[in-house]
Amino acid sequence: MGIFDVAFLVSVLTIAAPVLLAATGELVSQRAGVMNVGLEGIMLAGAFSAYAAMTVTESLLIGFLGGITGGLVGAVLMGALVIEAKVDQIVAGIAIGVLGYGVTAFLDQRLLPEPHTFEPLERLAIPGLSAIPVLGDVVFRQDLFLYATLLIVAGTAFALYRTTWGINLAAVGETPVAADAAGVSVRGVRWAAVLVSGAMAGAAGAYVSVGDVGVFREDMTGGRGYLAIAAVLFGMWRLRGVVLAVTIFACTDAVQLRLQSIDAIPREVWLVAALLLVPVVVRALASVRSVRGGPLHAALRPGPAGGVLIVLLLAVFAVRPPDMSLPASLWLAMPYVLALVALAAAGASRHQAPSALTIPYVRSEA
Amino acid sequence: MSTTTSGADPRAGTRSSALRLSGVTKRFGGFTANDAVDLEVGWGEVHALLGENGAGKTTLMRIVTGLYQPDEGTIAVDGEEVAFRRPEQALRAGIGMVHQHFTLVPTLTELENLAMGPSLLPLRDGRRTALERATSVESETGLRITPDRRVADASISERQRLEIVKLLCRGARILIFDEPSAALTPDEWEDLARLMRRLADDGHAVVLISHKMSEVFAVADRFTVLRGGAVAGSGAIAETTREDLVEQMVGESVEIRRERGPVQAGRPALAVRGLSVLRDADQPRGPRALDDVGLDLRGGEILGIAGVAGSGQAELVETLLGLRIPVAGEIEVAGRPYVDRSPSSFYAAGGSLVAEDRHHVGMFGSMTLWENINVRALRRPPLVRRNVIDPAAARHRARDLMAEFEVRATSENQAMGRLSGGNQQKAVLARELSTQPALVVAVQPVRGLDVRATEFVYRRLLDQRARGGAVLLISMDLDEVLSLSDRIVVLAHGRVQGVLDAADATRARIGALMTSREAS
């Protein structure tokens, strides 16, 4: 049955790459204090611009440059709204998200009614390294976009943690007054961060359309932009955390792709579900117990008792899987459900967020 | 009016001018914040800038540091005329300001805070050069930083030191200190005073903005007093007296002694018995912030709580408000047991609070003055009719209270955050005292206020006492506790170290009790 094979790992990387690139850009923007909620719309703008550029030039390079330009246009709009006009960031972001969807769908129908299909990016085998068993097939036989993403993430890590620019960025997102007093232009840093995030999201969008499959469809980013935002929160505003979060999301997405085609839910899924619930139930038990009564008393209360029952049931299923499956659309929702859970869990660690996130900077305040 | 030329001061004979302001005027709409201000600070001099809140000191310093541009007048640094359009330009000209609220990033390390700044090559790592500069500043001034400590983990005085190092690293030669002692202990202030003298002796120019006469007389060479936006006087410290300076600041002599009648102990207002509170609620066996504390306060009485910061004052207030749950103890408010503790039940029981952190706890900065003033009265008639608020009645009540409590504002619709600190505190008092509370808990009620507003707050607290209400006055300022209280409870390490009658309390006795015992 083997869900986890080389092809699975390859699909994890392919799914992860655009989300990771967009999330890295979003991280830069959020560390500067701008929460770009319109990331989904900006990715769509990138996806469509890349597709439009391709239909004219048929060059993947121009296509990606077009995607980056589309992302930058979205970012300029975002920056003008939240940095210059000081509009509420969430409101502006939602507007840009909706706008990106509407405008790309409209332009697609009006300008390019004939669907085009292009050759997606080639997979390049890196000589030597690609001969390594498993790792070579998974990592070193990928397309250029993945390599570029890895380089950009590494470069971002360097910029964030090893340069004055990274320090300024953190200062602008945390205590803009201090950055301003130090002579750092809060406006300049925020613009730079928003534009970086726009360019990255645009490139990620281009990969989703022309880079990966070679077509454009309405709303084809399918929530990847929101996943990227969730990854930044779940990753607690650290690049390492963001990479981890994107990996988890991509694994889940790859798993659900496989599971869609399997008749019965395999026992591994039941086991994982049971294991995931155990810490929740244990915590509930502990909190009830600390109020009053012994462990038995705690386990008999309706909430924890239900939890214990569900865990036991899942454990039974793991040993003897029932012959049942879920509709494909439910499987499709899995990464998003996970993102919701992740956000709820990250709610407890909210204090990790940059203090000035979503707060416009007005200088003359005392 | 005293002279402004440096020739008047014998010690300034050889000093050249570091900073000279001539006829600086700044208007905001119809309001003139600075009116033809002249200010001259020489190299090697500590210059005290005095004035009440709202006298125009802040505006003037914002002009000097490039945040505002003057409408008229000129600024000269080291003899050369300058026109700053942005703060960076003032920094480059060597002017640095140590703000009351530090401009540090708490999540970064001390070194990173030094490295922060505009750089031509954005991908360069500024940490190395910052460390080199910090080392050279240390060898010049003896100011040492801890490079890898996060600023959030540093104490207030360590942060202030970092702020000074930061300015010196950037080559600041004119240093402006905005009420630097506000958050310091007396020892830390001594260190800072020595540092200011040392910086001046090394040839820097130091401007000290302060309310405290003792500080001004301890370190300053010369002074300039602002009143109502204009210069009310300037000269050498050695040739003036405290009374003289206070009079220049307020324009009239302020009554220092407070007249009051004898205590007429009324109904019990607050009784606390055996109160013990954990320092950290997650550590049941950990240290206690309050240990077996007992208090007794009756109407018509002011009970002062003296103690150094962190002796359990904050925990006492939080417990009264129900924000902390004690491990033991009973509390009675207005003679009735006060068991279900929450902020709303505290107010319902007849309590009221003048909070220490005015900006975050004491008011809603972005809401209007009338909304702020009426917060405690909003749910009761006459402001509520058939469960609907009557805004006209509320505005009317606000106007009456503004007149009664001398709150100066353009109208009752002004945003609370736009008022000066003194007027904000007057509005807070109007809100808290207008409901005729049995008990007023006042925590550092005059923090950051000028002489006149301070006097107003004291008078209102004494009025509350005369009316038969009780005041629990919590303050780190011994003089304040001594001058207002009928009885004084000395708190140290969470324990009551002694209760003194105001008649036989002295600074020395309280000081001895405050430091009498180590934490158990």
Side-chain angles (χ1 to χ4, degrees), chain A residues 51-348:
Chain A
Y51 173 70
M54 282 284 281
T55 50
V56 178
T57 63
E58 305 240 336
S59 149
L60 265 171
L61 178 69
I62 304 287
F64 266 89
L65 287 179
I68 290 173
T69 312
L72 283 176
V73 168
V76 166
L77 187 59
M78 180 75 186
L81 284 176
V82 305
I83 303 174
E84 303 302 333
K86 304 192 197 309
V87 175
D88 184 281
Q89 290 184 5
I90 308 295
V91 173
I94 291 173
I96 287 174
V98 174
L99 193 71
Y101 169 73
V103 167
T104 53
F106 170 77
L107 291 180
D108 185 40
Q109 283 169 14
R110 270 301 162 95
L111 301 182
L112 308 162
E114 291 291 309
H116 298 255
T117 307
F118 307 102
E119 274 301 300
L121 279 173
E122 281 181 86
R123 295 189 184 270
L124 301 172
I126 294 181
L129 290 174
S130 58
I132 304 169
V134 184
L135 194 67
D137 287 331
V138 175
V139 181
F140 297 109
R141 274 179 207 279
Q142 289 285 1
D143 51 39
L144 203 57
F145 179 80
L146 188 101
Y147 301 135
T149 298
L150 293 179
L151 279 179
I152 289 172
V153 170
T156 308
F158 176 79
L160 283 184
Y161 302 114
R162 287 280 172 272
T163 66
T164 307
W165 190 78
I167 295 173
N168 290 347
L169 190 78
V172 165
E174 192 67 36
T175 321
V177 186
D180 195 13
V184 177
S185 160
V186 174
R187 230 173 106 221
V189 171
R190 286 195 166 170
W191 263 112
V194 169
L195 290 180
V196 162
S197 106
M200 289 193 188
Y207 180 71
V208 171
S209 64
V210 297
D212 193 20
V213 289
V215 296
F216 179 81
R217 269 178 288 107
E218 196 176 295
D219 197 20
M220 78 176 301
T221 50
R224 283 182 183 81
Y226 295 114
L227 269 188
I229 297 173
V232 173
L233 270 67
F234 185 48
M236 294 181 189
W237 293 270
R238 300 285 178 280
L239 191 57
R240 234 175 303 172
V242 171
V243 172
L244 180 72
V246 171
T247 313
I248 292 174
F249 290 150
C251 284
T252 321
D253 208 19
V255 165
Q256 67 88 7
L257 279 177
R258 285 299 178 90
L259 290 177
Q260 281 183 40
S261 56
I262 291 176
D263 295 334
I265 301 171
R267 62 177 49 160
E268 286 92 338
V269 174
W270 295 114
L271 185 65
V272 168
L275 288 179
L276 281 178
L277 261 183
V278 164
V280 178
V281 173
V282 166
R283 254 184 108 165
L285 281 177
S287 71
V288 172
R289 194 172 154 188
S290 69
V291 176
R292 55 177 61 90
L296 192 68
H297 185 261
L300 286 178
R301 291 187 143 222
V308 171
L309 265 182
I310 292 174
V311 169
L312 287 178
L313 190 69
L314 290 173
V316 170
F317 284 168
V319 178
R320 190 181 284 270
D323 186 23
M324 61 183 278
S325 184
L326 290 176
S329 54
L330 273 187
W331 285 122
L332 212 59
M334 234 166 81
Y336 305 95
V337 171
L338 192 73
L340 275 181
V341 173
L343 286 181

Side-chain angles (χ1 to χ4, degrees), chain B residues 14 19 47 53 94 99 102 127 129 152 175 183 185 188 199 215 227 255 262 323 356 368 379 390 392 400 490 513:
Chain B
T14 54
L19 177 68
H47 193 105
N53 291 348
H99 293 269
F102 303 137
R127 266 168 274 219
T129 35
L175 290 146
T185 65
E188 289 166 345
L199 287 171
E215 294 175 5
R227 186 173 75 223
E255 187 84 4
L323 305 179
E356 178 176 16
T368 64
R379 295 191 180 194
D390 179 355
D400 288 350
V490 183
L513 286 171

Side-chain angles (χ1 to χ4, degrees), chain B residues 272-289:
Chain B
V272 174
R273 274 181 263 290
L275 187 68
S276 294
V277 176
L278 293 172
R279 180 149 300 183
D280 184 347
D282 294 333
Q283 295 177 5
R285 275 172 244 285
R288 289 179 171 188

